[in-house]
Amino acid sequence: MTVSPLPFPAADGPHREGLTVFVRGLRVEAGIGVHDHEQGRLQPLVIDVTLELAPAPVERLADTINYETVAAAARAIVADGHVGLVETFAERLATACLDDARVRRCTVRIEKPGALDAAAAAGCEVVLAR
C-alpha cells in the first residue's frame, strides 16, 4: 500500500486550468503622440502582452499562439500610421489578439520611454476579455 504525502488523496491527478502565453519587452519604433513635437517622428515603445488561453492539450505550434503572431500584430499597428495615444495602440493590439478564439483574456502593457522627465517610462495597461 502506498501512502500519500498529502493529507488527502489526489482525486484524478492534476488538471489543466488554462495556459498563459506572453511576449515581454517587444520594442517597436512607432509614430505616436498627440503633441506637436511628436508628429512626423518615430518613438520607442516597449510592449508586454499576456494571453490567457482556454485549457487544451498543446502538442504542436498550431495548438497555441505563436509569439511571432503577437509581434506581427504590433508591427501592423505601427505600419498603419500615426497613433495619438498609447492607450489606443494598446486597445488595438489587445483586440487583434482576441481575434483568435482561443484567447480568453488579453493584457497589453505599453511603456513609452522618455515620455516623462525623471521617469524610466510612462504608459498604460489595457485588459480585454471575452
Side-chain angles (χ1 to χ4, degrees):
M1 179 167 113
T2 307
V3 176
S4 171
L6 301 174
F8 50 88
D12 293 324
H15 66 282
R16 185 177 285 110
E17 290 187 0
L19 172 66
T20 301
V21 173
F22 62 88
V23 174
R24 290 205 181 108
L26 177 66
R27 295 183 178 275
V28 298
E29 294 288 324
I32 193 148
V34 295
H35 300 292
D36 289 341
H37 70 275
E38 296 178 301
Q39 305 300 314
R41 70 183 187 99
L42 299 178
Q43 298 183 71
L45 297 178
V46 180
I47 303 170
D48 297 336
V49 177
T50 302
L51 307 174
E52 294 179 25
L53 281 59
V58 178
E59 298 294 330
R60 311 175 321 268
L61 183 57
D63 297 333
T64 188
I65 305 295
N66 187 333
Y67 313 129
E68 187 53 43
T69 303
V70 175
R75 291 183 193 114
I77 295 167
V78 170
D80 280 345
H82 193 92
V83 177
L85 298 172
V86 172
E87 292 83 352
T88 303
F89 192 110
E91 181 133 356
R92 288 180 187 171
L93 182 53
T95 300
C97 290
L98 282 173
D99 281 346
D100 190 309
R102 297 171 295 181
V103 178
R104 298 189 302 185
R105 179 182 166 109
C106 178
T107 303
V108 175
R109 177 185 172 100
I110 300 182
E111 294 183 6
K112 188 176 174 187
L116 185 62
D117 288 341
C124 73
E125 184 170 285
V126 170
V127 179
L128 297 182
R130 301 195 175 280

